[in-house]
Amino acid sequence: EMCAQVTDEGVQKLAVHSPYVERINLSWCTQVTDVGVTALATHLHSLLSIRLDRCANVSDAAVRAVAENSPSLEELSLRGCVLLTDSGVAPLARHCLELRELY
């Protein structure tokens, strides 16, 4: 794993203390869950790109939080996020009107 030691705790601290982050790649951060992703979505209001490839503990709740809190989002990568369903992805169409790339 690329960043197997990164946890929700680290992601939450990043979200709180680095409010101007626009792009974040957490691919292969297998310990990051909905808690960490929700913290990003609620604190980083300028997010343009989020990559969550192979984050096996990320589910519909996290993607809904991203959709509801990141209206400027242009790119979202969810490859290998096996817990996601249609109900998690559907809010992206309603809230992320700037979304151009979805993987």
Side-chain angles (χ1 to χ4, degrees):
E1 280 79 2
M2 306 274 277
C3 56
Q5 300 306 311
V6 174
T7 67
D8 289 332
E9 181 181 350
V11 173
Q12 288 173 305
K13 287 179 181 177
L14 174 77
V16 170
H17 298 292
S18 301
Y20 302 109
V21 170
E22 293 182 345
R23 300 179 184 280
I24 190 160
N25 185 347
L26 294 174
S27 297
W28 292 95
C29 292
T30 55
Q31 293 189 56
V32 173
T33 71
D34 294 344
V35 172
V37 177
T38 298
L40 291 175
T42 56
H43 292 285
L44 303 181
H45 301 289
S46 301
L47 276 175
L48 300 174
S49 174
I50 306 173
R51 300 186 67 85
L52 299 169
D53 300 338
R54 303 291 178 203
C55 289
N57 293 307
V58 170
S59 74
D60 292 341
V63 178
R64 276 194 298 272
V66 167
E68 292 169 2
N69 292 286
S70 306
S72 300
L73 194 68
E74 297 174 352
E75 176 187 21
L76 178 61
S77 186
L78 301 167
R79 294 179 186 136
C81 293
V82 296
L83 299 178
L84 294 180
T85 68
D86 291 344
S87 68
V89 178
L92 294 168
R94 287 192 302 276
H95 299 288
C96 297
L97 303 181
E98 300 298 320
L99 191 63
R100 300 289 181 261
E101 296 181 53
L102 178 62
Y103 305 99

